[in-house]
Amino acid sequence: MALVNSTVPQALRRKRLRERARTLAFLSPWLVGFGFFFLYPLISTVYFSFMHYDGFTAPTFAGLQNWTYVFTDYPSFWTGMGNTLWLVVVMVSLRVVFGLGIGMLITKVKSGAGFFRTAFYLPYLAPPVAATMAFAFLLNPGTGPVNHLLGELGLPQPGWFTDPSWSKPALTMLAVWGIGDLMVIFMAALLDVPTEQYEAAELDGAGSFQRFRYVTLPNISPIVMFAVVTGVIQTMQYYTQAIVAGKVASGVIGGSGQQFEPGYPHGSTWTLPQMVYNLGFQRFDTGSACVVAVVLFALSMAFTSILLRRKSGFMNED
């Protein structure tokens, strides 16, 4: 009897070990990818942020010198921080609002819905460089058709990408123009809302705003959360459109020997990802570039953590 009792726990332990080994075997592709493409780069970035390293010679320990340099001595760090946060707050908010609004409008269209879906989705497929150059041409303060039309209507003609106060709104307009990805996501969520809930709300005398507030929004709140979180992460990496718009507006579109002011005009389009490139690949100051990269990661994690809290207003308590 004692022999039987002693073998049972051993059999259970062997069974559990086999189950854990099988689980790890299934998880191994993800674990390998997570380790090589996320965990190792993250640890290396934090490590090099405390080193003097130019990419060629062996790194040497520098303590907090890189952090002190970036936060106190590096020109325009706080300008880039402010521009990046401005884009995160304004650009992400407008993209979500317009994406949801257009999605709601198209779901209500009786005829021609396919045409409107295609028309609003096509701008999203445009390559970022080509789309930015097209917008820079359309919004050219001297020869662009937009300012010409505004002048014909007697309205002010902004400088757009050549005016520091209008450059970020112009980039936001470009982002809202390519709203097709969010439109499709919101349309799928809106079409999945149970019609019985709308009918019950109408019987209770709810108006259109009340139906949206108490029926539509609670049902699509996970999709709104997804759109906001992914939008924040993408905007924290905002680089291509800002650098191309600045180069086109300043007249520097390529070629050797041309001088370009980063963040043209007057640092208004200067963002943290541009700072990483400037420090790491133009100044060969890898340590300081890693500091900015760690700051970007910390900001992204902070925004995501705040948004994912249940009391943030995006998710239901149920």
Side-chain angles (χ1 to χ4, degrees):
M1 189 67 178
L3 180 62
V4 173
N5 292 335
S6 63
T7 57
V8 170
Q10 293 179 1
L12 288 176
R13 283 196 295 269
R14 286 196 296 268
K15 181 179 179 181
R16 290 173 182 171
L17 287 174
R18 287 195 299 269
E19 291 177 350
R20 291 174 182 173
R22 183 167 57 249
T23 302
L24 286 175
F26 282 113
L27 287 175
S28 58
W30 181 87
L31 292 173
V32 171
F34 177 82
F36 274 102
F37 298 109
F38 179 80
L39 190 60
Y40 172 73
L42 177 61
I43 295 175
S44 298
T45 302
V46 175
Y47 169 78
F48 283 117
S49 68
F50 296 99
M51 299 288 172
H52 276 310
Y53 183 51
D54 58 6
F56 301 99
T57 58
T60 57
F61 183 71
L64 296 176
Q65 292 182 12
N66 294 326
W67 292 83
T68 303
Y69 168 71
V70 169
F71 283 102
T72 60
D73 299 326
Y74 183 66
S76 304
F77 170 77
W78 294 107
T79 300
M81 174 76 77
N83 291 337
T84 302
L85 296 179
W86 190 100
L87 292 172
V88 167
V89 174
V90 177
M91 186 180 292
V92 174
S93 301
L94 290 179
R95 276 180 54 84
V96 171
V97 169
F98 276 91
L100 178 57
I102 294 173
M104 294 180 64
L105 287 175
I106 294 180
T107 56
K108 302 298 183 182
V109 172
K110 300 296 183 181
S111 60
F115 168 77
F116 288 109
R117 283 198 302 266
T118 304
F120 281 107
Y121 186 74
L122 280 177
Y124 172 70
L125 300 177
V129 174
T132 307
M133 295 183 69
F135 250 69
F137 166 75
L138 293 173
L139 299 179
N140 187 290
T143 60
V146 173
N147 271 15
H148 178 74
L149 178 61
L150 293 175
E152 293 292 332
L153 297 175
L155 299 174
Q157 304 176 43
W160 302 114
F161 290 117
T162 61
D163 187 344
S165 59
W166 280 96
S167 57
K168 288 190 290 292
L171 289 173
T172 304
M173 289 172 57
L174 172 61
V176 172
W177 176 68
I179 204 69
D181 56 335
L182 292 184
M183 177 203 69
V184 171
I185 294 173
F186 282 126
M187 281 181 59
L190 291 166
L191 293 173
D192 199 39
V193 177
T195 56
E196 296 83 1
Q197 296 185 15
Y198 286 119
E199 294 171 355
E202 289 181 3
L203 291 175
D204 290 338
S208 57
F209 176 76
Q210 291 174 319
R211 291 196 299 271
F212 172 78
R213 172 65 181 84
Y214 296 105
V215 178
T216 304
L217 198 56
N219 278 281
I220 67 170
S221 57
I223 308 304
V224 176
M225 168 63 69
F226 171 80
V228 173
V229 171
T230 55
V232 167
I233 295 173
Q234 291 173 357
T235 309
M236 291 296 293
Q237 306 172 31
Y238 197 73
Y239 176 83
T240 303
Q241 292 87 338
I243 194 73
V244 172
K247 286 190 174 185
V248 173
S250 65
V252 179
I253 58 176
S256 59
Q258 293 179 312
Q259 296 296 322
F260 170 64
E261 174 194 353
Y264 181 89
H266 304 297
S268 59
T269 59
W270 178 248
T271 59
L272 292 182
Q274 293 185 57
M275 199 177 303
V276 174
Y277 178 81
N278 176 262
L279 286 168
F281 297 96
Q282 292 181 317
R283 302 191 179 194
F284 299 102
D285 188 353
T286 304
S288 299
C290 288
V291 171
V292 181
V294 172
V295 170
L296 268 173
F297 175 77
L299 288 175
S300 300
M301 290 296 296
F303 273 111
T304 303
S305 299
I306 293 171
L307 291 171
L308 288 178
R309 291 180 61 89
R310 295 181 64 86
K311 295 182 181 180
S312 63
F314 289 98
M315 301 293 290
N316 295 327
E317 293 297 328
D318 297 335

